[in-house]
Amino acid sequence: MATIDQREIEHARTRKPVRVHDPLPPSPLPSPPTSPSSRTTPPSLPSAARPAPAARQGERLAALDGLRFLAALVVVFFHLVGQVPATFQRIWGRPYQEVFPVAHSYFAFGRLGVELFFVISGFVIAMSGWGRSPRDFFIARVARLYPMYWIAVLLTALFLTTVDTPFGQPALRTVVADMTMLQTPLGVSDLSAVYWTLWPELCFYLMFAVVVWRGVSYRRVVLFCGAWTVAAVLAPAADNPLMTTLVNPVSAPYFIAGLAFHLMYRFRPSPLLWGIVGMSWLLAVQFLLASSGGRIDWQEWSPNKGALVLAVTVIFALVGAVALGWTRRITWRWLGTAGRLTFPLYLIHYSVGIWLANTFGRRMDPWLLVVGSTLAFIALSYVLQRYAERPLATVVRRSLRSAAWRGPA
């Protein structure tokens, strides 16, 4: 999942816009206006691309942090409460009708928390890439993703090796391949079921790096959204596995919508941007409702289709509220802490959580087990983020910044 840390916030506040040959030059990230009359906009800019009087960036990020933490919690409860019936019975040793007869049908939709992550990712990656060089963009992404991911892979491998779990012993090749975060193209299974989302993220970073290389601007982000939309539609029809793997048609609409929402926030909403969001929503719904090759395996889970459409609409609406500045009053500092816990919480909960349900599901109240486990995962996430991820990320960031990026003359 894409995340943005405090160093990136400070970078975004202080950096200067990149000069690019584009009729729609990037504006600095919004800052608190002194007065309406003090805000000037070049007359040559179309009104849709003029900087909007948005809320301060810290306020916006507080709302996004809250949404990220909400998405992580939803995914945790899906894995513990809302799994498909056959998987649920293997985990808990009895059917869901005996354990969570009412809650199961609601938390089954928690799998869509991943889609909320993807929309937020599009939003924050556009922000973090604005005004950055490809080198800085690369360093920021590597330092943000890999340290916590490496920690999670090693801890998960240690846990699966030393504890008798339903997953069995992990193969050494699986652990090694997963450390690269490239296990999907390598054809190696994920050590933890939640790792599958990282490949779409990496593909998004790789493709958006081209925009960063050229200089992120309103026009280039719009063109990128259009090109990716076309590629996502054509890839399945072209029957090209490489193109499909890179473009990720099922996930693409959410990232694209996030990019458009960021442009709305940075500049202003416009018919063009709403058109991008609308097309992304239509494609997202299409891939959800597809009988095959889509997001849902209808043989395992057959939810109400209207409820699916409503869930996707809510996901888009939540990030859209941030883009339109409706969340500017949300400035609670604890949301920043919650946002930093999102990635470790997402990475570490699955294997241990499933083992706890499988081992203690008949020995204690199920809700007490689920809530207690979730609180324990949150506490562990705080410890890992503060005392393991943060120091390791600092080392990685400093090492990459000090490295020679050019060969000898």
Side-chain angles (χ1 to χ4, degrees), residues 8-344:
E8 294 187 51
I9 297 172
E10 295 301 324
H11 175 85
R13 287 174 174 166
T14 58
R15 63 175 175 249
K16 297 180 180 180
V18 172
R19 294 185 180 274
V20 294
H21 298 290
D22 196 308
L24 301 176
S27 70
L29 288 179
S31 57
T34 54
S35 67
S37 60
S38 65
R39 186 183 297 274
T40 60
T41 303
S44 60
L45 291 182
S47 60
R50 294 174 184 170
R56 290 177 297 178
Q57 183 172 330
E59 295 174 339
R60 175 178 59 80
L61 287 174
L64 288 180
D65 279 330
L67 289 181
R68 284 164 44 205
F69 189 69
L70 173 64
L73 286 179
V74 165
V75 171
V76 171
F77 274 82
F78 159 65
H79 285 140
L80 296 178
V81 180
Q83 294 269 19
V84 297
T87 303
F88 186 97
Q89 185 152 353
R90 288 197 300 270
I91 294 172
W92 288 87
R94 46 188 169 151
Y96 73 86
Q97 292 89 343
E98 297 181 13
V99 187
F100 304 111
V102 177
H104 177 271
S105 60
Y106 294 99
F107 284 105
F109 287 88
R111 72 191 68 215
L112 299 181
V114 170
E115 276 66 23
L116 177 55
F117 274 130
F118 288 162
V119 180
I120 296 172
S121 179
F123 197 116
V124 300
I125 293 305
M127 182 183 70
S128 67
W130 214 287
R132 269 198 165 124
S133 67
R135 175 180 181 271
D136 290 339
F137 181 74
F138 172 81
I139 292 174
R141 291 300 92 206
V142 169
R144 190 63 188 92
L145 284 185
Y146 272 94
M148 187 61 238
Y149 177 71
W150 287 332
I151 293 168
V153 169
L154 293 177
L155 288 178
T156 301
L158 178 63
F159 176 78
L160 295 178
T161 302
T162 56
V163 178
D164 184 16
T165 72
F167 305 102
Q169 298 286 321
L172 178 60
R173 184 193 175 208
T174 299
V175 178
V176 172
D178 278 39
M179 289 289 287
T180 68
M181 209 182 289
L182 302 174
Q183 59 268 26
T184 297
L186 290 174
V188 179
S189 61
D190 293 310
L191 185 65
S192 175
V194 299
Y195 294 171
W196 74 268
T197 63
L198 299 174
W199 175 248
E201 288 276 351
L202 287 180
C203 291
F204 172 40
Y205 299 164
L206 177 63
M207 292 187 292
F208 196 73
V210 178
V211 182
V212 176
W213 170 60
R214 295 293 298 163
V216 184
S217 67
Y218 181 96
R219 170 195 272 186
R220 286 176 178 144
V221 174
V222 167
L223 292 176
F224 177 82
C225 290
W228 195 4
T229 299
V230 172
V233 173
L234 295 181
D239 195 23
N240 186 323
L242 177 60
M243 181 179 179
T244 302
T245 300
L246 181 63
V247 172
N248 287 289
V250 176
S251 305
Y254 301 98
F255 292 109
I256 295 169
L259 291 170
F261 279 135
H262 178 73
L263 291 181
M264 288 186 187
Y265 183 86
R266 179 179 285 270
F267 299 96
R268 294 177 186 274
S270 71
L272 174 62
L273 297 179
W274 281 121
I276 294 173
V277 170
M279 180 61 71
S280 298
W281 180 86
L282 290 171
L283 290 175
V285 171
Q286 188 279 143
F287 283 118
L288 272 181
L289 301 182
S291 57
S292 62
R295 174 71 168 92
I296 304 299
D297 186 342
W298 290 90
Q299 294 182 347
E300 291 187 337
W301 183 51
S302 300
N304 179 276
K305 294 182 179 180
L308 272 181
V309 174
L310 177 61
V312 174
T313 304
V314 170
I315 289 172
F316 276 60
L318 288 173
V319 183
V322 179
L324 297 175
W326 295 351
T327 60
R328 66 185 63 184
R329 295 181 181 274
I330 299 178
T331 58
W332 307 316
R333 295 185 62 182
W334 64 268
L335 288 176
T337 301
R340 287 189 288 273
L341 303 185
T342 299
F343 197 37

Side-chain angles (χ1 to χ4, degrees), residues 72-83 88 91-92 94 96 98-101 103-104 107-108 345 349-350 352-379:
L73 286 179
V74 165
V75 171
V76 171
F77 274 82
F78 159 65
H79 285 140
L80 296 178
V81 180
Q83 294 269 19
F88 186 97
I91 294 172
W92 288 87
R94 46 188 169 151
Y96 73 86
E98 297 181 13
V99 187
F100 304 111
H104 177 271
F107 284 105
L345 175 61
H349 79 272
Y350 184 78
V352 179
I354 298 303
W355 174 77
L356 288 171
N358 184 257
T359 303
F360 301 101
R362 289 182 174 272
R363 305 179 189 179
M364 60 187 299
D365 179 80
W367 277 116
L368 180 62
L369 175 61
V370 170
V371 174
S373 299
T374 302
L375 293 175
F377 291 140
I378 293 173

